[in-house]
Amino acid sequence: MSLQTGPDGRARCAWTGMDAEYQRYHDEEWGTPLHGDRALFEKMALEGFQAGLSWITILRKRPRFREVFAGFEPAEVAAFGDDDVARLMADAGIIRNRAKIEATIGNARLVVDMADGELDALLWSFAPMAPHSRPVSFAEVPAVTPESTAMSKELRRRGFRFVGPTTMYALMQSTGMVDDHVVGCWRTT
């Protein structure tokens, strides 16, 4: 089943289930073009934290992530030190994974070293030039594409961490670089 009709009568991509937060995310964010270094850094960090977990876990913890990671302002996160890592490791409101926390701080330092708008331009340079045909079912949605693989390779070349090809395809979906709303979803009309 690729579509599910919610209590509001709208047909949505079935991955939302009947969870109100997932439905809101689907309706207002997922597949909507997102720009800006801070906003994209946040998505990159959260997608990295999601690796191996469900997105709903991250979505429910996002307010706390934003609070403890200084609104994902790259310059502020880049200034985090050992005391901040210890503080974050003790915070049950986020995913307490040292490697992911340290990667987020390290990635922020790389973003700070970039020119204003460079992260946005870099990430969007991997968006497919022509829109792809809408998937009819989720079986048609890839986990990795040549573009997400190229994005991952370039980010890793620059020193970014937790930016594997699957994670970067999820980033491409969440930021509207690709639009994988299935045929029949109200967002495709």
Side-chain angles (χ1 to χ4, degrees), residues 70-186:
F72 288 99
E73 287 296 337
E76 291 185 45
V77 177
F80 284 9
D82 292 341
D83 289 345
D84 295 293
V85 172
R87 170 182 59 84
L88 294 166
M89 286 296 295
D91 194 320
I94 66 166
I95 306 303
R96 295 179 290 180
N97 179 303
R98 182 176 298 278
K100 292 176 180 183
I101 290 168
E102 290 175 347
T104 300
I105 295 167
N107 290 350
R109 291 174 182 155
L110 294 169
V111 172
V112 167
D113 288 343
M114 300 171 95
D116 187 43
E118 186 177 351
L119 179 65
D120 185 305
L122 173 65
L123 296 178
W124 276 90
S125 74
F126 293 98
M129 296 303 258
H132 63 280
S133 59
R134 294 223 180 264
V136 174
S137 73
F138 278 109
E140 295 178 12
V141 177
V144 174
T145 63
E147 293 87 357
S148 73
T149 300
M151 178 189 285
S152 172
K153 183 176 179 181
E154 177 58 20
L155 288 168
R156 285 190 281 190
R157 186 190 70 75
R158 291 173 179 239
F160 286 87
R161 293 180 289 159
F162 282 92
V163 291
T166 302
T167 300
M168 289 304 91
Y169 191 70
L171 175 84
M172 294 175 87
Q173 290 173 307
S174 71
T175 60
M177 293 177 199
V178 296
D179 187 350
D180 281 337
H181 289 281
V182 297
V183 171
C185 173
W186 80 267

Side-chain angles (χ1 to χ4, degrees), residues 4-17 19-33 59 181 185-188:
Q4 185 164 342
T5 302
D8 59 2
R10 286 183 164 166
R12 289 180 178 84
C13 299
W15 57 261
T16 64
D19 186 279
E21 181 64 14
Y22 243 178
Q23 289 178 356
R24 186 212 56 77
Y25 176 73
H26 169 274
D27 292 356
E28 298 174 13
E29 294 183 57
W30 195 72
T32 301
L59 203 54
H181 289 281
C185 173
W186 80 267
R187 289 283 312 270
T188 65

